[in-house]
Amino acid sequence: MNGNDESLIEPLEHLASQEETVIRDQAIQSLCKVIEKRPALATDHLVPALLRLSLKMDFFTARVSACALLPLAYRHVKDDQKTVLRKTFTTLCADETPMVRRAAAHKMRDFVHECSKEDLLTDLIT
């Protein structure tokens, strides 16, 4: 998008919270492509979008999408945001909705791979 990739994140966030799986999955793939192309956008744009998705309680699909975005976001952010993302991940793992817990479990391997051993021991293994 000629240097305006950040303008894609908001509409893709909206699509990532939709009920239709195909739409949601494509939005996640597109968000991943944007961040892989411009990793600097993760800190200021992807993480806030991910946190908004993880807090939406009206329907579980947004939280499922947040699970899918966590490993990528974690890879590209600074340490202060990594703490928030680890807490978000543990919250999603304990979500009341089985589909969200399943999505978190499905992405656990990728997420844990991005975490340091120390962070795993202090924040994720309790």
Side-chain angles (χ1 to χ4, degrees):
M1 285 233 0
N2 300 328
N4 294 321
D5 298 317
E6 61 273 4
S7 63
L8 292 172
I9 293 180
E10 187 177 337
L12 289 171
E13 175 188 352
H14 175 72
L15 292 172
S17 66
Q18 298 303 302
E19 188 173 348
E20 180 59 44
T21 305
V22 175
I23 293 170
R24 211 171 51 241
D25 289 346
Q26 188 61 51
I28 296 299
Q29 287 177 5
S30 296
L31 278 165
C32 290
K33 286 179 185 177
V34 168
I35 298 304
E36 290 296 339
K37 180 180 173 189
R38 296 211 23 226
L41 295 177
T43 300
D44 294 331
H45 298 282
L46 181 63
V47 170
L50 186 153
L51 294 175
R52 285 190 298 270
L53 288 169
S54 72
L55 295 173
K56 286 193 175 186
M57 299 308 283
D58 52 345
F59 204 61
F60 71 91
T61 54
R63 297 190 310 278
V64 167
S65 293
C67 293
L69 291 169
L70 271 162
L72 175 72
Y74 196 87
R75 183 180 322 134
H76 294 292
V77 298
K78 297 194 182 343
D79 289 341
D80 59 328
Q81 286 184 312
K82 287 183 177 187
T83 302
V84 172
L85 292 179
R86 286 192 304 273
K87 289 180 182 178
T88 300
F89 183 73
T90 57
T91 300
L92 292 168
C93 285
D95 194 270
E96 65 184 31
T97 309
M99 287 72 75
V100 176
R101 292 192 309 266
R102 184 178 64 190
H106 181 71
K107 287 297 180 177
M108 185 177 289
R109 178 179 175 212
D110 297 336
F111 187 73
V112 167
H113 179 72
E114 299 296 334
C115 296
S116 71
K117 182 179 179 180
E118 296 79 26
D119 291 338
L120 288 173
L121 293 173
T122 58
D123 290 342
L124 298 177
I125 300 175
T126 56

